[in-house]
Amino acid sequence: MGRFDRRARTGMLVGTLAMFFALDVAFLLSMAGMPFVADSLGQAIIDVLPGFISIPLIEALHQWAKILLVVGVVALFLIDGAATGLLAASPRQRTRVLLGVGLLPWLAAFVLARLFSSQRIEPVTSLIDAAVGAAVFLGALAFILPSALERSADTEPASPGRRRALLGTAAIAAAIAIVSLPLSRVAAIGSGGLGNVTAAARRLRTRAEIAPADPAVDALPGITPRITANEDHYTVDTTLVKPRVLIDEWRLEIKGLVESPFSLTYDQLLDLEAVEQLHTLECISNYVGGDLISTALWTGVPLRDLLDRAQVKPGAYDVAFTSVDGYTDSIPIAKAMEDRTLVAYLMNGKTVPQDHGYPARMLVPNIYGMKNVKWIRTIEVVNYDFIGYWQQQGWSDAAPVNTNARIDLPSRNIRWTGGAITVAGIAFAGARGISKVELSSDGAKTWAPASLEAPIGALAWTRWRFDWTPTGAGPAKIIVRATDGTGNAETPIGRPPYPDGATGYDSLDVTIQRG
């Protein structure tokens, strides 16, 4: 029994290592444009989960939800690797069962993605990634396990027939990948670029006027930059596998309740008159004081120009947007006709990065980011209240940005010499703007106004600073609240993001130490 245990442990260890190596290879292939097999399976799980399960998970885990999902899927692969190694080490197990268990996660990732995530995951490239991974796993197991068993205390030899079966199945999987390669788009995707390339508008109608920075605010260590770099801009998606668009095949369709539907190629979109716009985006799942908020300089075509060209018919109610990956949302027709609602294709002087919607995305003032659809494919005018992806899960349809303020500095532990301590941060209220930011250090009994930096744009956040003098050493709580441009202060009532966005005052607990 002891010798069997050692043999079983050896098989499990080798199987786990072989699976780890196979996942490494599959991940490297994903760098060339193929969906990583663990992401494919994870995406299928996301798309099949009903809202009453997915929403509580997102609420509880926030950004960790996707990370933990991928980690869980990878763990399932490794467990399967250990189980396959255990079966391979046992001469009593049938080879057919061994091969079935070994291929199970790779087949499941491909098949389930086809069944539940067909709009998000390209079939041929996902097949190649899964086939190569399976081939590497079975091949590694066939080569490593016999030597490992021979070195163990168990003298029972490995089955040559079983090794041939593993290698034969690995060869078939590799052949599938090789045959599929010419049918895939991976070569074109790899050479086509995925945004984030320096570019300029061909016909710029309006250039953004950027107010100068306040040096006293700009020099503060830890203050949020006025404009967020592309690589630092927050991203939240419904997908683990980002759409990879072939630019020469992409078309933007304007259709529905219009007299003259039409479509635009990417080149034709770039030929239209464009405007620059400084625009802050905030995720509706951002918690009070959270970092799911960013500002960029966007360039794009006013949606109104496209709708005027299409000639909207009477009775229009909503404009519905559909992403390349099937994600949907909508805005009222009146919102669509606002001059600051854009189809954006440049972000901070570069083509929109893949993570942010390459080749084009929507930008809509005064509403949360979920309705600013990325990877836009169709714009459809409809005569009814269109219910999008997140609205079907119970999230807000109107989704106006709640007035909010955030404290960026100081740190929680402060060494105090007796002077004033600088407190600073950002405030945002969408298109309403910010008229006032106030701070309290006595439990919201009294409030004092902060100084505001001129916002860089009408749709951007406002940075603020306040010189606070503590009453003495020890613990203290700093509370901030903002008032929007219409005179309405943010509510002190704390609510979680679901379904209308978080509310309540941001606060910072600090410890003052003399010295």
Side-chain angles (χ1 to χ4, degrees), residues 168-439:
T169 307
I172 293 172
I176 292 173
I178 293 170
V179 170
S180 300
L181 190 59
L183 303 176
S184 75
R185 299 179 173 183
V186 66
I189 290 173
S191 63
L194 290 171
N196 214 30
V197 176
T198 301
R202 296 174 184 174
R203 301 174 60 197
L204 192 60
R205 179 196 303 167
T206 306
R207 187 176 299 278
E209 297 293 334
I210 303 177
D214 181 344
V217 175
D218 219 29
L220 293 173
I223 191 66
T224 297
R226 292 199 301 162
I227 297 178
T228 312
N230 288 0
E231 59 271 19
D232 296 330
H233 198 290
Y234 87 89
T235 58
V236 174
D237 309 303
T238 63
T239 178
L240 291 173
V241 182
K242 303 290 193 299
R244 303 176 71 91
V245 177
L246 288 174
I247 203 63
D248 55 350
E249 295 183 6
W250 178 81
R251 298 291 184 274
L252 177 61
E253 292 185 73
I254 295 85
K255 62 181 184 178
L257 197 65
V258 296
E259 296 287 351
S260 304
F262 65 96
S263 64
L264 294 170
T265 65
Y266 186 64
D267 200 55
Q268 289 170 334
L269 179 66
L270 268 56
D271 275 339
L272 301 177
E273 283 193 338
V275 299
E276 285 184 345
Q277 186 165 287
L278 287 152
H279 193 120
T280 296
L281 282 171
E282 182 174 11
C283 182
I284 196 170
S285 61
N286 196 29
Y287 272 78
V288 172
D291 59 1
L292 298 181
I293 181 171
S294 304
T295 298
L297 175 62
W298 302 89
T299 305
V301 177
L303 177 58
R304 182 173 62 185
D305 291 1
L306 303 179
L307 296 178
D308 284 345
R309 175 175 165 181
Q311 302 176 58
V312 176
K313 293 180 181 180
Y317 186 89
D318 268 355
V319 177
F321 309 113
T322 302
S323 167
V324 168
D325 68 351
Y327 177 85
T328 58
D329 214 316
S330 67
I331 57 175
I333 185 66
K335 195 73 176 172
M337 298 301 286
E338 292 181 6
D339 58 358
R340 294 183 295 188
T341 300
L342 303 184
V343 178
Y345 57 81
L346 294 182
M347 179 182 182
N348 290 331
K350 295 183 177 181
T351 53
V352 173
Q354 181 196 13
D355 284 353
H356 297 287
Y358 179 81
R361 65 168 298 160
M362 294 306 305
L363 277 182
V364 189
N366 207 44
I367 62 175
Y368 282 111
M370 66 176 179
K371 301 184 79 67
N372 294 252
V373 176
K374 299 190 285 190
W375 308 293
I376 187 73
R377 183 186 68 193
T378 62
I379 298 170
E380 183 176 6
V381 181
V382 299
N383 60 359
Y384 57 92
D385 184 11
F386 183 94
I387 305 300
Y389 177 87
W390 283 117
Q391 288 70 52
Q392 295 174 31
Q393 315 296 328
W395 290 84
S396 172
D397 189 15
V401 171
N402 294 319
T403 302
N404 61 92
R406 185 182 78 193
I407 300 173
D408 286 347
L409 60 109
S411 63
R412 294 184 179 276
N413 295 302
I414 303 171
R415 192 161 294 279
W416 182 49
T417 58
I421 295 170
T422 299
V423 184
I426 59 170
F428 183 55
R432 303 185 303 278
I434 295 294
S435 64
K436 183 168 57 176
V437 172
E438 299 169 290
L439 281 91

Side-chain angles (χ1 to χ4, degrees), residues 288 402-404 481-482 488-495 502-506:
V288 172
N402 294 319
T403 302
N404 61 92
R481 71 180 182 187
N488 291 317
E490 62 176 305
T491 175
I493 300 172
R495 290 194 296 263
T503 61
Y505 297 157
D506 188 24

Side-chain angles (χ1 to χ4, degrees), residues 44-59:
I45 294 172
I46 289 174
D47 290 340
V48 79
L49 280 179
F52 69 86
I53 295 178
S54 61
I55 288 175
L57 287 175
I58 293 171
E59 281 289 288

